[in-house]
Structure formats: structure tokens, C-alpha cells
mmCIF file of all heavy atoms in Angstrom:
data_model
loop_
_atom_site.group_PDB
_atom_site.id
_atom_site.type_symbol
_atom_site.label_atom_id
_atom_site.label_comp_id
_atom_site.label_asym_id
_atom_site.label_seq_id
_atom_site.Cartn_x
_atom_site.Cartn_y
_atom_site.Cartn_z
ATOM 1 N N TYR A 1 106.214 155.962 234.539
ATOM 2 C CA TYR A 1 107.376 156.823 234.705
ATOM 3 C C TYR A 1 107.522 157.691 233.441
ATOM 4 O O TYR A 1 108.637 157.921 232.948
ATOM 5 C CB TYR A 1 108.625 155.992 234.945
ATOM 6 C CG TYR A 1 108.427 155.008 236.057
ATOM 7 C CD1 TYR A 1 107.959 153.717 235.774
ATOM 8 C CD2 TYR A 1 108.668 155.320 237.371
ATOM 9 C CE1 TYR A 1 107.761 152.774 236.794
ATOM 10 C CE2 TYR A 1 108.445 154.423 238.404
ATOM 11 C CZ TYR A 1 107.992 153.143 238.095
ATOM 12 O OH TYR A 1 107.779 152.216 239.116
ATOM 13 N N GLY A 2 106.392 158.118 232.872
ATOM 14 C CA GLY A 2 106.421 158.917 231.691
ATOM 15 C C GLY A 2 106.915 158.197 230.477
ATOM 16 O O GLY A 2 107.421 158.824 229.533
ATOM 17 N N GLY A 3 106.825 156.850 230.482
ATOM 18 C CA GLY A 3 107.294 156.064 229.334
ATOM 19 C C GLY A 3 108.812 155.915 229.274
ATOM 20 O O GLY A 3 109.319 155.440 228.293
ATOM 21 N N ASP A 4 109.489 156.302 230.296
ATOM 22 C CA ASP A 4 110.947 156.345 230.319
ATOM 23 C C ASP A 4 111.495 155.164 231.122
ATOM 24 O O ASP A 4 111.461 155.183 232.337
ATOM 25 C CB ASP A 4 111.421 157.650 230.946
ATOM 26 C CG ASP A 4 112.932 157.818 230.961
ATOM 27 O OD1 ASP A 4 113.657 156.898 230.596
ATOM 28 O OD2 ASP A 4 113.368 158.923 231.376
ATOM 29 N N PRO A 5 112.060 154.150 230.422
ATOM 30 C CA PRO A 5 112.626 152.984 231.107
ATOM 31 C C PRO A 5 113.737 153.377 232.089
ATOM 32 O O PRO A 5 113.900 152.727 233.144
ATOM 33 C CB PRO A 5 113.151 152.099 230.016
ATOM 34 C CG PRO A 5 112.372 152.493 228.823
ATOM 35 C CD PRO A 5 112.125 153.958 228.966
ATOM 36 N N ALA A 6 114.507 154.394 231.798
ATOM 37 C CA ALA A 6 115.616 154.815 232.676
ATOM 38 C C ALA A 6 115.021 155.373 234.002
ATOM 39 O O ALA A 6 115.540 155.106 235.078
ATOM 40 C CB ALA A 6 116.496 155.829 232.025
ATOM 41 N N ALA A 7 113.949 156.110 233.878
ATOM 42 C CA ALA A 7 113.267 156.673 235.079
ATOM 43 C C ALA A 7 112.699 155.533 235.894
ATOM 44 O O ALA A 7 112.761 155.527 237.140
ATOM 45 C CB ALA A 7 112.203 157.677 234.706
ATOM 46 N N ARG A 8 112.135 154.515 235.233
ATOM 47 C CA ARG A 8 111.589 153.367 235.926
ATOM 48 C C ARG A 8 112.713 152.616 236.671
ATOM 49 O O ARG A 8 112.622 152.285 237.803
ATOM 50 C CB ARG A 8 110.943 152.395 234.916
ATOM 51 C CG ARG A 8 110.300 151.184 235.553
ATOM 52 C CD ARG A 8 110.823 149.836 235.144
ATOM 53 N NE ARG A 8 111.917 149.681 234.250
ATOM 54 C CZ ARG A 8 111.850 149.099 233.088
ATOM 55 N NH1 ARG A 8 110.696 148.577 232.618
ATOM 56 N NH2 ARG A 8 112.939 148.980 232.347
ATOM 57 N N ASP A 9 113.832 152.424 236.013
ATOM 58 C CA ASP A 9 114.942 151.709 236.610
ATOM 59 C C ASP A 9 115.502 152.478 237.816
ATOM 60 O O ASP A 9 115.854 151.847 238.842
ATOM 61 C CB ASP A 9 116.075 151.495 235.593
ATOM 62 C CG ASP A 9 115.666 150.539 234.454
ATOM 63 O OD1 ASP A 9 114.633 149.871 234.590
ATOM 64 O OD2 ASP A 9 116.398 150.475 233.449
ATOM 65 N N GLU A 10 115.561 153.792 237.711
ATOM 66 C CA GLU A 10 116.034 154.617 238.847
ATOM 67 C C GLU A 10 115.068 154.472 240.013
ATOM 68 O O GLU A 10 115.512 154.282 241.165
ATOM 69 C CB GLU A 10 116.157 156.081 238.421
ATOM 70 C CG GLU A 10 116.684 157.051 239.452
ATOM 71 C CD GLU A 10 115.593 157.492 240.435
ATOM 72 O OE1 GLU A 10 114.430 157.702 239.998
ATOM 73 O OE2 GLU A 10 115.889 157.689 241.625
ATOM 74 N N ALA A 11 113.801 154.529 239.770
ATOM 75 C CA ALA A 11 112.810 154.416 240.833
ATOM 76 C C ALA A 11 112.883 153.017 241.452
ATOM 77 O O ALA A 11 112.851 152.874 242.682
ATOM 78 C CB ALA A 11 111.398 154.696 240.320
ATOM 79 N N MET A 12 112.967 151.995 240.652
ATOM 80 C CA MET A 12 113.031 150.624 241.178
ATOM 81 C C MET A 12 114.314 150.375 241.982
ATOM 82 O O MET A 12 114.249 149.637 242.962
ATOM 83 C CB MET A 12 112.842 149.618 240.044
ATOM 84 C CG MET A 12 111.421 149.661 239.500
ATOM 85 S SD MET A 12 111.001 148.293 238.415
ATOM 86 C CE MET A 12 111.132 146.942 239.547
ATOM 87 N N ALA A 13 115.367 151.048 241.642
ATOM 88 C CA ALA A 13 116.624 150.894 242.369
ATOM 89 C C ALA A 13 116.494 151.483 243.794
ATOM 90 O O ALA A 13 117.239 151.091 244.701
ATOM 91 C CB ALA A 13 117.766 151.528 241.620
ATOM 92 N N ARG A 14 115.578 152.411 243.957
ATOM 93 C CA ARG A 14 115.356 153.044 245.259
ATOM 94 C C ARG A 14 114.427 152.277 246.196
ATOM 95 O O ARG A 14 114.272 152.613 247.341
ATOM 96 C CB ARG A 14 114.799 154.478 245.072
ATOM 97 C CG ARG A 14 115.803 155.422 244.456
ATOM 98 C CD ARG A 14 115.298 156.848 244.416
ATOM 99 N NE ARG A 14 114.183 157.065 243.484
ATOM 100 C CZ ARG A 14 112.964 157.413 243.865
ATOM 101 N NH1 ARG A 14 112.688 157.577 245.120
ATOM 102 N NH2 ARG A 14 112.008 157.588 242.980
ATOM 103 N N LEU A 15 113.798 151.204 245.622
ATOM 104 C CA LEU A 15 112.852 150.467 246.463
ATOM 105 C C LEU A 15 113.568 149.764 247.609
ATOM 106 O O LEU A 15 114.683 149.289 247.433
ATOM 107 C CB LEU A 15 112.131 149.430 245.589
ATOM 108 C CG LEU A 15 111.087 149.934 244.599
ATOM 109 C CD1 LEU A 15 110.634 148.812 243.667
ATOM 110 C CD2 LEU A 15 109.910 150.566 245.332
ATOM 111 N N PRO A 16 112.952 149.691 248.757
ATOM 112 C CA PRO A 16 113.545 148.922 249.854
ATOM 113 C C PRO A 16 113.417 147.421 249.520
ATOM 114 O O PRO A 16 112.924 147.047 248.472
ATOM 115 C CB PRO A 16 112.687 149.325 251.059
ATOM 116 C CG PRO A 16 111.367 149.680 250.485
ATOM 117 C CD PRO A 16 111.659 150.283 249.134
ATOM 118 N N THR A 17 113.786 146.572 250.465
ATOM 119 C CA THR A 17 113.587 145.131 250.309
ATOM 120 C C THR A 17 112.142 144.889 249.955
ATOM 121 O O THR A 17 111.255 145.458 250.542
ATOM 122 C CB THR A 17 113.968 144.413 251.608
ATOM 123 O OG1 THR A 17 115.344 144.668 251.896
ATOM 124 C CG2 THR A 17 113.721 142.938 251.505
ATOM 125 N N LEU A 18 111.933 143.984 249.008
ATOM 126 C CA LEU A 18 110.589 143.667 248.551
ATOM 127 C C LEU A 18 110.085 142.378 249.133
ATOM 128 O O LEU A 18 110.856 141.415 249.284
ATOM 129 C CB LEU A 18 110.538 143.563 247.022
ATOM 130 C CG LEU A 18 110.778 144.861 246.244
ATOM 131 C CD1 LEU A 18 111.014 144.519 244.812
ATOM 132 C CD2 LEU A 18 109.570 145.784 246.428
ATOM 133 N N ALA A 19 108.820 142.364 249.524
ATOM 134 C CA ALA A 19 108.098 141.137 249.949
ATOM 135 C C ALA A 19 106.882 141.092 249.057
ATOM 136 O O ALA A 19 105.982 141.955 249.192
ATOM 137 C CB ALA A 19 107.766 141.158 251.388
ATOM 138 N N ILE A 20 106.790 140.153 248.140
ATOM 139 C CA ILE A 20 105.734 140.116 247.132
ATOM 140 C C ILE A 20 104.858 138.900 247.335
ATOM 141 O O ILE A 20 105.341 137.744 247.398
ATOM 142 C CB ILE A 20 106.372 140.064 245.705
ATOM 143 C CG1 ILE A 20 107.319 141.234 245.517
ATOM 144 C CG2 ILE A 20 105.235 140.114 244.657
ATOM 145 C CD1 ILE A 20 108.150 141.147 244.228
ATOM 146 N N VAL A 21 103.558 139.171 247.482
ATOM 147 C CA VAL A 21 102.584 138.074 247.663
ATOM 148 C C VAL A 21 102.119 137.639 246.298
ATOM 149 O O VAL A 21 101.619 138.418 245.527
ATOM 150 C CB VAL A 21 101.382 138.596 248.506
ATOM 151 C CG1 VAL A 21 100.329 137.496 248.640
ATOM 152 C CG2 VAL A 21 101.834 139.128 249.849
ATOM 153 N N ALA A 22 102.324 136.317 246.024
ATOM 154 C CA ALA A 22 101.869 135.771 244.741
ATOM 155 C C ALA A 22 100.351 135.673 244.764
ATOM 156 O O ALA A 22 99.747 135.356 245.785
ATOM 157 C CB ALA A 22 102.492 134.367 244.543
ATOM 158 N N ARG A 23 99.791 136.003 243.649
ATOM 159 C CA ARG A 23 98.327 135.891 243.533
ATOM 160 C C ARG A 23 97.895 135.907 242.093
ATOM 161 O O ARG A 23 98.615 136.417 241.234
ATOM 162 C CB ARG A 23 97.577 136.923 244.340
ATOM 163 C CG ARG A 23 97.795 138.353 243.954
ATOM 164 C CD ARG A 23 97.094 139.247 244.923
ATOM 165 N NE ARG A 23 96.525 140.391 244.239
ATOM 166 C CZ ARG A 23 96.257 141.501 244.824
ATOM 167 N NH1 ARG A 23 96.409 141.624 246.102
ATOM 168 N NH2 ARG A 23 95.741 142.495 244.151
ATOM 169 N N ASP A 24 96.751 135.358 241.846
ATOM 170 C CA ASP A 24 96.136 135.372 240.518
ATOM 171 C C ASP A 24 97.045 134.815 239.461
ATOM 172 O O ASP A 24 96.997 135.230 238.298
ATOM 173 C CB ASP A 24 95.644 136.775 240.160
ATOM 174 C CG ASP A 24 94.599 137.309 241.103
ATOM 175 O OD1 ASP A 24 93.796 136.500 241.629
ATOM 176 O OD2 ASP A 24 94.565 138.524 241.343
ATOM 177 N N GLY A 25 97.906 133.847 239.842
ATOM 178 C CA GLY A 25 98.742 133.177 238.857
ATOM 179 C C GLY A 25 99.943 133.978 238.376
ATOM 180 O O GLY A 25 100.641 133.509 237.489
ATOM 181 N N LEU A 26 100.147 135.161 238.882
ATOM 182 C CA LEU A 26 101.273 135.982 238.437
ATOM 183 C C LEU A 26 102.597 135.488 239.074
ATOM 184 O O LEU A 26 102.615 135.197 240.251
ATOM 185 C CB LEU A 26 101.017 137.441 238.802
ATOM 186 C CG LEU A 26 99.811 138.094 238.094
ATOM 187 C CD1 LEU A 26 99.589 139.517 238.676
ATOM 188 C CD2 LEU A 26 100.055 138.189 236.577
ATOM 189 N N GLU A 27 103.627 135.490 238.276
ATOM 190 C CA GLU A 27 104.920 135.069 238.763
ATOM 191 C C GLU A 27 105.572 136.141 239.580
ATOM 192 O O GLU A 27 105.424 137.356 239.268
ATOM 193 C CB GLU A 27 105.825 134.703 237.575
ATOM 194 C CG GLU A 27 105.348 133.505 236.778
ATOM 195 C CD GLU A 27 105.443 132.203 237.583
ATOM 196 O OE1 GLU A 27 106.436 132.032 238.287
ATOM 197 O OE2 GLU A 27 104.496 131.369 237.457
ATOM 198 N N VAL A 28 106.313 135.740 240.594
ATOM 199 C CA VAL A 28 107.086 136.646 241.406
ATOM 200 C C VAL A 28 108.467 136.022 241.623
ATOM 201 O O VAL A 28 108.611 134.832 241.642
ATOM 202 C CB VAL A 28 106.460 137.018 242.764
ATOM 203 C CG1 VAL A 28 105.098 137.671 242.590
ATOM 204 C CG2 VAL A 28 106.313 135.766 243.631
ATOM 205 N N PRO A 29 109.520 136.881 241.768
ATOM 206 C CA PRO A 29 110.827 136.317 241.993
ATOM 207 C C PRO A 29 110.877 135.568 243.327
ATOM 208 O O PRO A 29 110.396 136.051 244.333
ATOM 209 C CB PRO A 29 111.731 137.568 242.074
ATOM 210 C CG PRO A 29 110.932 138.672 241.462
ATOM 211 C CD PRO A 29 109.489 138.317 241.659
ATOM 212 N N ASP A 30 111.452 134.359 243.327
ATOM 213 C CA ASP A 30 111.497 133.530 244.512
ATOM 214 C C ASP A 30 112.113 134.252 245.683
ATOM 215 O O ASP A 30 111.643 134.123 246.833
ATOM 216 C CB ASP A 30 112.247 132.241 244.273
ATOM 217 C CG ASP A 30 111.463 131.264 243.412
ATOM 218 O OD1 ASP A 30 110.209 131.350 243.365
ATOM 219 O OD2 ASP A 30 112.099 130.405 242.774
ATOM 220 N N GLU A 31 113.117 135.049 245.436
ATOM 221 C CA GLU A 31 113.885 135.733 246.549
ATOM 222 C C GLU A 31 113.016 136.835 247.208
ATOM 223 O O GLU A 31 113.343 137.295 248.296
ATOM 224 C CB GLU A 31 115.205 136.343 246.057
ATOM 225 C CG GLU A 31 115.079 137.499 245.060
ATOM 226 C CD GLU A 31 115.000 137.049 243.617
ATOM 227 O OE1 GLU A 31 114.716 135.881 243.301
ATOM 228 O OE2 GLU A 31 115.268 137.915 242.760
#
């Protein structure tokens, strides 16, 4: 996001409901 945390936060706030597949040992939010 051009190195801008505020732009990142704005973009992430626009994401729809997330469904995240855990893999390669990376943590994901339980919800």
C-alpha cells in the first residue's frame, strides 16, 4: 500500500468476510 499503514488499514476494512486456509505453519485468526 505504498508503505502507508493507514492505506493498508483502509483497504483491509473494505475486505468482505474472510475465510483463511491455514498452511505451512502460519497462524490465522480462529474466527
